[in-house]
Amino acid sequence: MKIKKNYSKVKTIASGIIPFGFLVIMILYLIGPSSDLLEFGVSLPEITIEKIEFVDSEIHVTVRNTGPIPVKIAMADVNDRIQSAAIEPDKSLERFETALVRIPFSWNEAEPYTIGITLDDGVRFDKFIEAATPAIKSDYKLAGFFAIIGTYVGIIPVMIGLLWLPFIKRIGKNKYNFFLALTIGLLVFLGIDAMLEGFEVSKENFSTNFNGELLIITITLLSFLGLYYSAEKLTSRTNLTASSKPLAIGLMIAIGIGLHNLGEGLAIGAAIGLGQVALSTFLIVGFALHNTTEGIAIASPLAKTKSPISKIIILGLIAGSPAILGTWIGGFFYSPYTAIVFLSIGAGAIFQVALVILKWLYQSEQKLVQASIVSGIGVGMLIMYLTSILV
Amino acid sequence: MLSAIIGVSTIIVFSVFSEAQLEPKVFVTHSGQVIQTSGDVLDPLYTASTVEFDPGKYLRDFNYGRISELNGQTIREFTIIAEDDKIQEISPGVFYNVWTFNGTVPGPTIRATEGDLVRIHFINNGSKSHTMHFHGIHPAEMDGVFEAVGPGGGQFTYEFEAGPVGVHPYHCHVMPLEEHISHGLYGVYIVDPKEGRPSADEMVMVLNGFDTDFDTENNFYAANSIPFYYQHHPIQIKTNELIRIYVVNMVEFDPINNFHLHGNLYNYYPTGTSTVPSTYTDMITLSQTERGIMEFKYDYPGKYLFHAHKVEFSEKGWVGIFLVNDNPDQKSQTGIDYEN
């Protein structure tokens, strides 16, 4: 009996592995050394200029091999005029490898520049910079400056938003539902916003080989599913009392918004880091106004419970302080890859929170098509749209 | 949890400030800048030993052909082979598929005296049809336009009387013409006057360019193919010696090119057809296949630049230096043997 059982287990495993074995054989056949079946077409080399920094009498260009074959960098130019340069660590780039090209050049502040890199086959890739601005120097002072900005953008507006809590506590059930629905609207907007931002980063900085759009959708869905699953486990396992469930939801919202603010911090840090100073002033003011609404989002589910003030402040910090971390990452080591990963995780987290609140509303009301809920979602998105114009 | 996040991120952020320095090497670049680097140097500087085509040799390399005589007329025979599969390093690290006459861009400089019979045995070893089209006076069937010479060993014999006196280009005339020319199928054809020209240090400069990324804009420019070559290998000349340059502009895509000489002016003979210079200047503008002869002498020794005053071209390689050496005994010269 036992042997028979084991035998069937082996059969199961074998039947699972055999197709996989055939797959391996097929791939070996296609790409193996003796195969000439796929020797058609031309593999075109491709590089992506990921970052350009203007430092003392030098222009620093970070390039990545984003093509299907190894490449050799042969030449650098500024405004399509050949320049001598150094390349570190060396001029041969394997797939996905990066190198730093240092071009000695006495550039002029605020002037536009096009930086070109030519490969050994004579193909030139270039990137346009609207205005040269001195690269920021990474030091403790700047880190402190970023921390202050992150506080203004993340923590303070969220805390201000939380000040609406007493107001929301006093209002009737319909109006309260309106505010919960408003939160859903705010969150859906934020989630879409984060994804669009990710698409933009991908379009500007990614080689098409990386399938940036699909990466964003995949990470967003994974983040959504992962958080949804763990949140369900969390709320079902622990015996939540009526009063602790809203707090759990508030915590989820705070984490979701925290991830979102990390993305905003990245945008601000990168804008300062890349020297787009005028842009970052707008970003800071816009995000500050925008993020006040996030405080409301956290406050709404907490309104009908007695939550200690300290816990509410912690929720505010969880939601707001990642903005500081974001400015550091964005300003000191901006890379489009981290930006996209964080933006997508944030989007997934936000959609998950929106769904949780929607479910919560449905459980208490049994009916979602109500004037207060529909108008709440609509108004929430509108508010976000209007404040986003400022960014 | 919050403090953990901030703590970890602080460590990540601040570790960047203490990045260890790699041991640097010092390079002086072709433009005289000093770079300290632990990596490689990207410098458009050719050394004579690595260059596949030697502009130093091409500069004064005139081909007079295999000479025979028939009924008092000198016959000059040349064999020219076209190929289109050669990959040449046209600037350090940059490889380009050049199409060549006798293996080089520009092709060999063909030189004859007015009235000579020029006979070119043309063999096309390329993978496409090619021809040789000479600027000058000749019968229609010798024009190299309608008689495409097939690939893989096709042959044709061009035969015509050398004339008129001057400096002319020759090039392939198969369609698409721009493609055949810009890949390198061109060269210089000089017709000397019977009475000869005054003795001089003579040189040929073909102003050309390469569009290595096929966007109908040149990526490199040069006098005689290799960018910046004569800047790093100055052309040695002497004071008080007559210098004669046969200049031919073969740049494609750009409507004009030009030639500016430093510290001096030159007598310019457009197309070289007249013995009277049209102008005395330091700056001549040339359109496609426009050409002429420049004559000048330097009074003072030293280094003198010559370059396109369309500075974009000079910053992409069309720049060189004359190194003028003192020559106290050189006063004048008489006669020159054009037969060799």
Side-chain angles (χ1 to χ4, degrees):
Chain A
M1 188 71 194
K2 204 180 173 190
I3 294 165
K4 215 174 188 181
K5 205 177 172 186
N6 274 346
Y7 180 65
S8 75
K9 209 172 175 185
V10 168
K11 260 173 101 175
T12 310
I13 292 169
S15 61
I17 287 176
I18 285 167
F20 188 69
F22 276 107
L23 186 66
V24 171
I25 291 168
M26 187 195 79
I27 289 170
L28 283 179
Y29 174 73
L30 286 179
I31 63 169
S34 60
S35 167
D36 52 7
L37 188 65
L38 296 184
E39 280 180 8
F40 57 86
V42 184
S43 297
L44 290 177
E46 186 185 326
I47 56 163
T48 304
I49 298 175
E50 291 192 341
K51 194 160 77 172
I52 295 172
E53 287 174 298
F54 295 87
V55 298
D56 280 345
S57 309
E58 271 188 29
I59 300 175
H60 286 182
V61 187
T62 307
V63 292
R64 186 185 292 273
N65 176 3
T66 48
I69 48 171
V71 298
K72 268 206 174 77
I73 309 281
M75 200 174 75
D77 68 73
V78 176
N79 293 338
D80 202 21
R81 307 292 181 265
I82 296 169
Q83 300 293 337
S84 300
I87 181 164
E88 294 161 357
D90 62 78
K91 55 185 157 193
S92 302
L93 292 185
E94 292 301 314
R95 288 190 75 183
F96 306 119
E97 197 185 341
T98 62
L100 178 71
V101 180
R102 293 173 43 212
I103 310 171
F105 194 86
S106 45
W107 48 274
N108 304 318
E109 200 164 329
E111 278 183 24
Y113 287 98
T114 301
I115 308 298
I117 300 291
T118 301
L119 302 184
D120 58 348
D121 68 345
V123 176
R124 177 175 175 269
F125 296 84
D126 62 12
K127 192 175 171 99
F128 176 70
I129 298 294
E130 275 176 6
T133 23
I136 50 165
K137 287 202 179 69
S138 302
D139 58 16
Y140 296 94
K141 216 176 122 190
L142 189 70
F145 170 68
F146 275 150
I148 291 167
I149 294 207
T151 308
Y152 273 117
V153 170
I155 297 172
I156 294 175
V158 172
M159 292 300 181
I160 291 173
L162 281 171
L163 289 177
W164 267 292
L165 188 59
F167 167 74
I168 299 170
K169 268 186 180 177
R170 267 176 218 158
I171 55 181
K173 194 173 178 235
N174 261 346
K175 282 178 188 146
Y176 174 61
N177 283 345
F178 171 82
F179 273 100
L180 279 179
L182 183 83
T183 304
I184 295 171
L186 302 179
L187 291 171
V188 168
F189 188 95
L190 281 180
I192 294 170
D193 187 38
M195 287 183 79
L196 291 181
E197 175 76 18
F199 289 143
E200 204 171 307
V201 172
S202 146
K203 199 176 152 197
E204 276 174 20
N205 301 292
F206 265 35
S207 146
T208 46
N209 287 2
F210 276 113
N211 291 330
E213 287 85 356
L214 284 174
L215 178 71
I216 292 164
I217 291 166
T218 307
I219 295 178
T220 304
L221 272 173
L222 283 178
S223 153
F224 174 82
L225 290 173
L227 287 169
Y228 190 78
Y229 177 78
S230 47
E232 284 289 296
K233 284 267 162 190
L234 192 81
T235 43
S236 64
R237 235 178 236 175
T238 48
N239 224 353
L240 287 169
T241 58
S243 65
S244 62
K245 190 160 185 188
L247 197 64
I249 287 179
L251 177 65
M252 275 187 255
I253 295 177
I255 291 171
I257 288 176
L259 284 168
H260 174 78
N261 282 344
L262 186 76
E264 290 185 349
L266 279 175
I268 294 167
I272 298 173
L274 299 175
Q276 299 156 340
V277 183
L279 173 65
S280 58
T281 313
F282 263 112
L283 273 183
I284 291 161
V285 174
F287 279 138
L289 284 176
H290 198 66
N291 291 355
T292 313
T293 55
E294 294 170 356
I296 301 175
I298 301 167
S300 301
L302 302 176
K304 295 300 170 198
T305 57
K306 279 207 164 151
S307 308
I309 193 96
S310 60
K311 281 193 178 168
I312 291 170
I313 289 172
I314 286 172
L315 288 185
L317 285 175
I318 290 173
S321 54
I324 299 174
L325 180 60
T327 54
W328 286 345
I329 298 174
F332 293 132
F333 350 62
Y334 178 81
S335 105
Y337 306 97
T338 50
I340 278 184
V341 167
F342 283 120
L343 284 167
S344 310
I345 291 174
I350 281 164
F351 289 135
Q352 178 261 337
V353 175
L355 187 67
V356 167
I357 301 173
L358 203 63
K359 266 177 80 180
W360 199 43
L361 263 175
Y362 182 71
Q363 273 165 16
S364 68
E365 298 298 317
Q366 299 298 323
K367 189 171 160 225
L368 287 176
V369 188
Q370 291 184 24
S372 58
I373 293 173
V374 173
S375 63
I377 293 175
V379 171
M381 293 196 73
L382 259 178
I383 289 176
M384 284 314 247
Y385 172 71
L386 292 175
T387 54
S388 75
I389 292 175
L390 292 168
V391 176
Chain B
M1 182 194 162
L2 186 68
S3 60
I5 289 174
I6 292 176
V8 168
S9 60
T10 307
I11 292 165
I12 294 168
V13 168
F14 289 99
S15 61
V16 78
F17 302 143
S18 59
E19 199 175 276
Q21 290 289 309
L22 294 158
E23 83 286 8
K25 290 172 278 184
V26 180
F27 294 89
V28 180
T29 71
H30 100 110
S31 46
Q33 281 152 321
V34 178
I35 304 183
Q36 282 202 350
T37 179
S38 56
D40 293 336
V41 166
L42 305 173
D43 205 9
L45 166 54
Y46 248 123
T47 54
S49 59
T50 55
V51 68
E52 285 174 71
F53 163 71
D54 185 354
K57 185 168 167 288
Y58 174 83
L59 186 71
R60 292 182 175 106
D61 191 15
F62 300 100
N63 297 275
Y64 296 90
R66 298 181 296 280
I67 300 164
S68 56
E69 231 185 78
L70 187 71
N71 304 330
Q73 188 183 33
T74 305
I75 302 170
R76 298 182 186 273
E77 294 187 72
F78 302 83
T79 303
I80 303 284
I81 300 169
E83 287 170 306
D84 50 30
D85 60 348
K86 207 175 166 190
I87 305 292
Q88 192 189 311
E89 192 175 8
I90 54 124
S91 178
V94 179
F95 295 84
Y96 180 71
N97 171 211
V98 286
W99 299 3
T100 57
F101 286 130
N102 283 4
T104 60
V105 181
T109 300
I110 294 171
R111 192 159 183 176
T113 305
E114 186 184 21
D116 290 351
L117 185 76
V118 177
R119 189 178 290 149
I120 313 265
H121 301 283
F122 177 59
I123 303 165
N124 178 8
N125 281 346
S127 60
K128 299 168 176 0
S129 290
H130 297 300
T131 64
M132 286 183 82
H133 161 72
F134 286 78
H135 287 211
I137 299 167
H138 47 244
E141 61 270 25
M142 292 299 152
D143 200 37
V145 174
F146 304 113
E147 301 80 13
V149 183
Q155 297 201 9
F156 193 91
T157 303
Y158 297 98
E159 196 175 281
F160 47 83
E161 204 167 274
V165 165
V167 52
H168 311 291
Y170 67 84
H171 58 86
C172 175
H173 211 300
V174 169
M175 297 302 222
L177 185 54
E178 193 178 55
E179 179 183 69
H180 284 252
I181 293 178
S182 65
H183 272 82
L185 288 172
Y186 46 80
V188 176
Y189 161 52
I190 296 170
V191 181
D192 290 315
K194 281 190 173 123
E195 64 279 15
R197 293 181 193 275
S199 168
D201 183 0
E202 297 194 307
M203 45 193 86
V204 176
M205 286 192 197
V206 175
L207 312 183
N208 55 354
F210 292 108
D211 171 24
T212 58
D213 55 0
F214 307 103
D215 62 352
T216 67
E217 277 180 33
N218 287 307
N219 299 59
F220 299 92
Y221 295 87
N224 298 339
S225 296
I226 305 299
F228 304 105
Y229 188 85
Y230 297 123
Q231 185 184 337
H232 302 292
H233 308 86
I235 299 170
Q236 309 265 343
I237 56 175
K238 297 185 186 111
T239 53
N240 298 317
E241 186 176 32
L242 182 65
I243 307 297
R244 182 177 299 124
I245 314 179
Y246 297 92
V247 178
V248 180
N249 177 38
M250 291 306 298
V251 157
E252 276 300 326
F253 311 116
D254 301 283
I256 60 143
N257 199 342
N258 49 35
F259 191 117
H260 167 56
L261 183 67
H262 278 225
N264 212 339
L265 281 82
Y266 48 79
N267 277 313
Y268 185 67
Y269 305 81
T271 320
T273 44
S274 169
T275 49
V276 181
S278 68
T279 180
Y280 181 58
T281 182
D282 62 5
M283 174 67 194
I284 278 292
T285 295
L286 300 162
S287 181
Q288 260 99 39
T289 71
E290 250 195 293
R291 68 279 185 185
I293 297 172
M294 295 170 182
E295 287 182 346
F296 55 91
K297 284 178 185 176
Y298 270 99
D299 293 338
Y300 309 106
K303 281 203 286 188
Y304 297 93
L305 222 55
F306 63 98
H307 62 95
H309 225 302
K310 168 97 180 84
V311 183
E312 175 195 354
F313 297 178
S314 62
E315 291 194 43
K316 288 177 176 174
W318 169 190
V319 55
I321 290 173
F322 283 115
L323 181 58
V324 184
N325 299 305
D326 216 357
N327 181 23
D329 52 34
Q330 185 83 29
K331 288 295 169 225
S332 68
Q333 287 181 323
T334 48
I336 184 162
D337 180 18
Y338 282 106
E339 293 305 309
N340 240 322

